[in-house]
Amino acid sequence: MKTLLLCAAAAAVALSNTNGCASASGTIKDPTAHANPPAAAPHKTLRAFRSDQELKDFFRRITDEQKREQKRRRAEAQMATGQTSNSAPAPASVAMADASSLSGAKSEDDESVTNAQHAGVDEGGIVKLHGNHLVVLRRGRLFTVEIGGGSLEPVSTLDAFGPDVDPGGAWYDEMIISGDTIAVIGYSYGRGGTEIGLFDIDKAGRLSYRDTYHLRSNDYYSSRNYASRLVGSKLIFYTPLYVSPYGDADPQKSFPSMRKWRRGATENEFHQIVSATRVYRPEREPSAASGLALHTVTVCDLARSELACEATVVVGPPGRVFYVSPSSVYVWTNEWARAADRMRPRSTLYRLPLDGSAPSALGVSGSPVDQFSFLESDNRHLNVLVRSATVGDGMWGAEVAAGDVALLRVPIDSITDGSENAPASGYRQLPKPQGYTFQNRYVGDYLLYGTGNGWGRPEQGRGSTLYAVRWAGGAAAAQFGLPHGVDRIESMGRDAVVVGTDGRDLHFTGVRLGERPALAGRYARAGASQGELRSHGFFYKPDGTDSGLLGLPIQRPGRPGYKHLFETSAAILFLRNDSLDLKELGELGAKPEGSVNDSCRASCVDWYGNARPLFVRGRVFALLGYEIVEGALDGGRMRETRRVNYAPGRLVTATR
């Protein structure tokens, strides 16, 4: 397989031969290079459609091309096999699996209990903090537990769906809290899209249902990413919508739409939330061979009593990875395009600013693994780790990433109308790791990556290599041999910790990220494995420049990663970090006898996990299924002080 650098160079040369853009060896000019620079030309962006008719004409032409391309491919296949067929054409496939087969701004005093990628960009999760209450989303229900004044008492329980909503065929995955509004985000196969349930919470922690809304979309599920973000009071979604050439004659009927739910609601009650003038297309049109997707960013204002949402759409190929920075949503797409009678891979990066200004695009190569492959840095550059054989983070796509590795670094201002490619000089080839289940993370000035075990059964004696490279440029990537896999990479202040198993024990390796990266302190928990794979399962609470507490759910040794969907973690393990000297403080464990039959009606598989370490106002908690266990440090060891079982029909508090 050609390297990413060769692909990028070929794409840039091909584009320069057709439209006069920069060649593969070209660079982006620095406007500060001239003492008196000329007036800057207006920044090029994607073009919006000017009318409904222009939009319909575009889709009619594209879908006709898709049909012709599919006929050509069938004819080529028949010639190759000597077969003929009179069967009807199949709908265009998309690069996503169908999961149905598995059926107010915060005050400065508020604390976050979510291990989020960016400060100020909250992510949908299973536990949040509202005033003096923890709010937990579990197995289709909402729960509140009071922690104010040193208490630990269950308060309220409510279904995570409306009283007139049939939860069958629906998954309620994550929640966001803004002011006194809780938004529960789910996906309903029966009602055709993303479901948003709004609930009110008062100062006493009592819950009440308000409304349910539906957004027309395809399934957003990802084994690593989260569907929703909150910036201020604005709830932000990225959702894909795939368009088939054999669908409705008027594709606008399947455009991003919204309805308020009521008993007996019909399809006719969906109203479109995007106009033709908010639908954008790049100068380089998507290939007819790959199908078509409406990449939609929807912004809903949770500060309003009646939910109001607006959408922006870019038209592109189906594949995707998305990332939300404090200023923009980035969507990376992949397709196969016909060139010189051959099908070649082609990728496009879209940027959709959160301020509502016009989106932009850039031709790129390869694909990121997940949202952690991106970093929008403060100097207005975008940094993206890409691999050459990756299908995006939809469903379980991120777990099978493979191929060559490179780091793309481009000025954000170079992302324009989609007619240009990132120059080959923007890619920096990096060492390719051995193994699967690729993990990557930006920590400080460094990008760290490696491979581990993931959702499968841990391999005995599994070792790996950790790579550390300065993302802004500089020395070659540093390489460190580890006696364990790279299953998780997390920041601890200005340094990092790598977590992984060798098949028997769970290891924590500190990485000092100074002028030169170096391995530092290590700790191994004998006879344990990770209890959670999602990023929110870990939390680090600093109490100094180079010190703090960390927590991580653990389980029995050798447990396959997928078991966290069905089994509660055995305990939360706590460590202390003192300048990367890692020492165990102890654990807070679950009680098997605490399990109950909860008569679950929806979301009965814990896709987003069920265990979290929580550090709140100087107190330490372990969320373990239906139990919340509080601990306190006593002589340098974690000691359980009390626990509460908040399961439906079983609200029990025990104190030691």
Side-chain angles (χ1 to χ4, degrees):
M1 180 179 292
K2 293 183 179 179
T3 65
L4 285 166
L5 291 177
L6 290 175
C7 291
V13 170
L15 194 60
S16 67
N17 289 338
T18 58
N19 60 17
C21 297
S23 68
S25 60
T27 57
I28 304 297
K29 292 185 177 180
D30 183 354
T32 63
H34 305 281
N36 296 296
H43 183 71
K44 293 189 295 184
T45 59
L46 302 188
R47 288 186 297 132
F49 291 92
R50 292 170 294 183
S51 66
D52 289 345
Q53 188 58 51
E54 184 183 23
L55 184 62
K56 291 178 181 178
D57 292 343
F58 170 83
F59 274 95
R60 185 178 297 112
R61 176 169 53 80
I62 291 293
T63 53
D64 286 346
E65 291 177 5
Q66 287 180 320
K67 292 175 183 178
R68 288 194 294 271
E69 176 63 27
Q70 290 193 2
K71 289 180 180 178
R72 178 167 54 244
R73 292 165 69 178
R74 283 198 305 274
E76 291 174 352
Q78 291 168 6
M79 291 179 62
T81 60
Q83 297 176 349
T84 60
S85 173
N86 296 320
S87 59
S93 62
V94 297
M96 306 277 290
D98 184 358
S100 62
S101 62
L102 302 173
S103 27
K106 300 187 176 187
S107 71
E108 295 180 358
D109 295 330
D110 281 345
E111 290 183 271
S112 173
V113 294
T114 303
N115 179 22
Q117 185 174 7
H118 277 290
V121 182
D122 195 18
E123 300 170 2
I126 65 168
V127 58
K128 298 291 180 182
L129 181 65
H130 177 269
N132 291 322
H133 298 88
L134 292 173
V135 184
V136 183
L137 173 66
R138 175 155 168 76
R139 292 169 64 86
R141 293 185 177 98
L142 285 168
F143 304 86
T144 59
V145 178
E146 183 176 359
I147 60 171
S151 62
L152 184 64
E153 296 289 340
V155 175
S156 186
T157 302
L158 197 64
D159 286 334
F161 45 88
D164 57 352
V165 172
D166 179 1
W171 295 91
Y172 301 98
D173 297 317
E174 53 189 83
M175 67 173 168
I176 287 283
I177 299 181
S178 176
D180 296 328
T181 297
I182 301 173
V184 174
I185 294 89
Y187 189 83
S188 170
Y189 295 102
R191 288 174 289 277
T194 301
E195 188 167 300
I196 307 170
L198 298 184
F199 301 82
D200 295 317
I201 179 171
D202 63 18
K203 291 184 178 180
R206 292 185 294 263
L207 299 168
S208 59
Y209 169 74
R210 190 195 308 173
D211 293 307
T212 296
Y213 296 84
H214 292 116
L215 294 173
R216 185 177 282 138
S217 75
N218 292 108
D219 198 350
Y220 53 72
Y221 179 80
S222 167
S223 63
R224 297 191 183 184
N225 212 340
Y226 301 91
S228 59
R229 304 292 194 275
L230 184 74
V231 177
S233 66
K234 301 301 175 62
L235 178 62
I236 300 163
F237 295 96
Y238 162 75
T239 51
L241 270 168
Y242 306 115
V243 179
S244 168
Y246 302 97
D248 197 292
D250 182 3
Q252 281 187 271
K253 291 183 179 179
S254 61
F255 263 38
S257 302
M258 177 178 171
R259 73 176 173 191
K260 186 174 181 178
W261 173 255
R262 64 174 182 83
R263 187 182 297 276
T266 66
E267 285 291 310
N268 294 333
E269 294 178 46
F270 276 101
H271 64 273
Q272 200 166 300
I273 58 173
V274 61
S275 64
T277 56
R278 292 296 296 173
V279 179
Y280 295 83
R281 56 178 170 173
E283 287 299 310
R284 183 173 58 188
E285 287 188 352
S287 167
S290 298
L292 203 62
L294 307 177
H295 298 285
T296 306
V297 172
T298 304
V299 179
C300 306
D301 191 352
L302 292 180
R304 300 178 59 173
S305 57
E306 187 79 11
L307 191 67
C309 302
E310 295 182 348
T312 301
V313 173
V314 294
V315 179
R320 52 84 172 170
V321 180
F322 82 97
Y323 156 74
V324 183
S325 77
S327 68
S328 304
V329 177
Y330 293 88
V331 181
W332 189 295
T333 67
N334 305 287
E335 64 182 323
W336 287 88
R338 185 174 293 275
D341 295 326
R342 291 183 60 189
M343 300 301 295
R344 300 177 184 275
R346 190 172 73 179
S347 302
T348 303
L349 169 67
Y350 297 95
R351 175 177 179 258
L352 294 87
L354 294 178
D355 63 7
S357 56
S360 50
L362 182 68
V364 286
S365 293
S367 179
V369 175
D370 56 26
Q371 71 272 29
F372 296 117
S373 301
F374 292 81
L375 173 67
E376 183 188 83
S377 50
D378 292 338
N379 56 0
R380 288 194 58 78
H381 277 70
L382 182 68
N383 310 271
V384 191
L385 182 145
V386 294
R387 301 200 71 178
S388 61
T390 304
V391 296
D393 69 354
M395 301 300 165
W396 288 270
E399 312 306 329
V400 294
D404 300 320
V405 183
L407 178 61
L408 171 65
R409 177 172 167 81
V410 293
I412 291 175
D413 289 340
S414 70
I415 307 173
T416 57
D417 62 359
S419 63
E420 301 179 15
N421 280 336
S425 59
Y427 294 85
R428 178 182 179 188
Q429 192 162 18
L430 299 178
K432 176 182 174 181
Q434 299 297 313
Y436 300 96
T437 313
F438 187 90
Q439 302 289 341
N440 55 172
R441 199 69 179 262
Y442 295 88
V443 181
D445 295 333
Y446 286 87
L447 166 66
L448 308 176
Y449 67 93
T451 60
N453 294 279
W455 288 62
R457 185 176 298 278
E459 300 176 21
Q460 292 286 337
R462 171 76 155 91
S464 64
T465 301
L466 175 71
Y467 300 86
V469 58
R470 284 186 177 270
W471 46 261
Q479 303 183 25
F480 304 99
L482 299 178
H484 57 84
V486 179
D487 297 325
R488 179 184 290 273
I489 304 171
E490 300 285 356
S491 64
M492 294 195 305
R494 56 191 177 186
D495 297 315
V497 62
V498 179
V499 182
T501 179
D502 61 7
R504 298 180 301 273
D505 305 327
L506 187 62
H507 296 256
F508 297 74
T509 299
V511 185
R512 195 175 307 282
L513 298 175
E515 185 64 28
R516 293 183 179 179
L519 299 185
R522 288 180 174 175
Y523 165 80
R525 174 64 160 81
S529 62
Q530 276 202 95
E532 291 276 356
L533 300 186
R534 283 192 173 269
S535 60
H536 290 180
F538 174 95
F539 203 92
Y540 178 72
K541 184 72 170 180
D543 56 19
T545 303
D546 297 305
S547 63
L549 302 179
L550 65 90
L552 181 71
I554 60 172
Q555 249 294 352
R556 64 181 184 273
R559 186 179 81 155
Y562 73 88
K563 288 284 190 179
H564 79 276
L565 301 178
F566 312 102
E567 300 177 355
T568 302
S569 296
I572 303 291
L573 174 68
F574 295 93
L575 303 181
R576 176 154 191 86
N577 167 41
D578 281 311
S579 298
L580 295 182
D581 179 18
L582 303 176
K583 293 183 178 179
E584 180 182 335
L585 299 176
E587 62 185 53
L588 298 176
K591 288 186 175 180
E593 63 271 21
S595 61
V596 297
N597 181 359
D598 60 2
S599 301
C600 182
R601 297 174 60 202
S603 299
C604 300
V605 174
D606 292 323
W607 296 108
Y608 283 57
N610 53 44
R612 300 287 186 269
L614 304 169
F615 302 94
V616 185
R617 299 168 191 165
R619 299 168 69 185
V620 179
F621 301 98
L623 171 65
L624 294 159
Y626 281 125
E627 293 184 292
I628 296 179
V629 187
E630 183 171 5
L633 287 175
D634 185 0
R637 297 293 298 174
M638 186 66 67
R639 177 178 60 86
E640 178 184 331
T641 58
R642 57 183 159 176
R643 68 175 59 219
V644 62
N645 188 315
Y646 63 90
R650 180 172 178 172
L651 305 181
V652 179
T653 302
T655 304
R656 290 189 175 181

